[in-house]
């Protein structure tokens, strides 16, 4: 450049450009753009759950390389209160659950896991392994630990089912037990008996939910109704059913 002509480069937070000037100009030191913190955000509410949305953009520049695009870093965050879950597990405990997956005779003490019974495979998943402190690390423990308000009930069935808490309703609503024990599988497979009993268990859940809602409202707290999920675990087709109030094969 000369005293008769000069070129000035300009850059802001959004673009870079240059201009030719016919008269000399005075060069000024470049001052980097300082990112402006994002404004306070009013978080919207959707239904009963509060959803917090945050965003921030950092200006990174182009490392002083002419012609290089300007770089930015975008942060997005979303925070919502998780809805609790009331989960009902309905577990087949008919005689076939004592067999291996291939239908053979099981040996649960064999080092070869292919000889495990179907019931043991299921229990290994639900219970996990016992830890040094006596706790378990399976699905039941993980589910209850995921949300303090999660709740779990477990019902077993074979050719008949009942709400006897010592027999079929083995993990009751409100229990924090992190594992279950099952007796030796026996009997036939009756889906209708299982579903009838499951319906009764949901009636108990509805009573529990009503009591929890009343307690929360009395304490001036917000009550979030749990999502209801049922998982039906069985190894095959039913062999018995109730029809016209009678137990029938098939």
């Amino acid at each position: 450049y000369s005293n008769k002509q000069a070129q000035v480069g300009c850059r802001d937070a959004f673009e870079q450009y240059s201009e030719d000037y016919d008269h000399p100009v005075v060069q000024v030191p470049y001052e980097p753009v300082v990112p402006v913190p994002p404004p306070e955000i009013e978080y919207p509410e959707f239904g009963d759950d509060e959803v917090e949305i945050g965003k921030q953009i950092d200006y990174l520049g182009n490392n002083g390389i002419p012609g290089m695009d300007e770089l930015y870093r975008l942060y997005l965050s979303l925070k919502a209160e998780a809805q609790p879950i009331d989960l009902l597990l309905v577990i087949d405990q008919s005689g076939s659950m004592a067999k291996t997956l291939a239908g053979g005779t099981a040996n649960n003490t064999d080092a070869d896991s292919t000889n495990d019974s179907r019931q043991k495979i299921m229990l290994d998943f639900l219970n996990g392994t016992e830890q040094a402190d006596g706790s378990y690390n399976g699905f039941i423990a993980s589910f209850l630990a995921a949300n303090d308000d999660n709740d779990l009930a477990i019902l077993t069935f074979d050719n008949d089912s009942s709400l006897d808490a010592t027999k079929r309703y083995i993990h009751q609503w409100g229990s924090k037990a992190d594992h279950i024990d099952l007796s030796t599988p026996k009997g036939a497979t009756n889906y209708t008996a299982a579903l009838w009993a499951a319906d009764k268990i949901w009636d108990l859940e509805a009573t529990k939910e009503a009591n929890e809602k009343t307690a929360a409202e009395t304490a001036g707290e917000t009550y979030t109704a749990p999502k209801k999920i049922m998982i039906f675990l069985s190894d095959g087709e039913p062999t018995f059913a109730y029809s016209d109030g009678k137990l029938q094969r098939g």
Side-chain angles (χ1 to χ4, degrees), residues 83-87 143 151 202 205 224-229:
Q83 182 181 13
I85 295 173
D86 280 357
L87 174 64
F143 171 77
D151 206 351
W202 283 122
E205 186 275 345
T224 301
K227 185 175 183 179
K228 300 169 182 61
I229 297 175

Side-chain angles (χ1 to χ4, degrees), residues 97-202:
M97 293 293 289
K99 297 180 180 180
T100 66
L101 290 178
T105 301
N107 182 352
N108 291 331
T109 61
D110 196 322
D112 185 356
S113 61
T114 60
N115 291 325
D116 287 347
S117 70
R118 299 166 187 177
Q119 184 187 74
K120 182 178 185 300
I121 294 171
M122 180 177 60
L123 279 176
D124 287 346
F125 166 72
L126 294 175
N127 292 342
T129 56
E130 185 175 6
Q131 307 300 292
D133 61 358
S135 64
Y136 286 75
N137 63 354
F139 171 81
I140 295 175
S142 298
F143 171 77
L144 293 174
N147 187 319
D148 290 340
D149 293 325
N150 281 354
D151 206 351
L152 173 70
I154 299 177
L155 170 75
T156 66
F157 73 95
D158 45 52
N159 55 288
D160 199 357
S161 294
S162 122
L163 290 185
D164 183 349
T166 63
K167 184 180 180 182
R168 295 300 189 189
Y169 185 27
I170 62 173
H171 193 289
Q172 301 182 34
W173 297 119
S175 172
K176 293 300 181 182
D178 60 2
H179 70 287
I180 59 172
D181 296 314
L182 293 176
S183 58
T184 302
K186 61 181 179 63
T189 307
N190 188 336
Y191 282 7
T192 55
L195 295 173
W196 173 84
D199 187 59
K200 299 300 181 182
I201 298 294
W202 283 122

Side-chain angles (χ1 to χ4, degrees), residues 24-61:
V25 296
V26 178
Q27 183 177 2
V28 297
Y30 165 70
E31 295 183 0
V33 175
V34 178
V36 178
E40 292 293 328
I41 300 174
E42 293 186 4
Y43 299 117
E45 292 187 4
F46 299 93
D48 295 330
D49 297 332
E50 182 174 310
V51 179
E52 298 182 357
I53 304 172
K55 64 181 178 180
Q56 178 177 324
I57 300 176
D58 288 347
Y59 172 71
L60 303 179

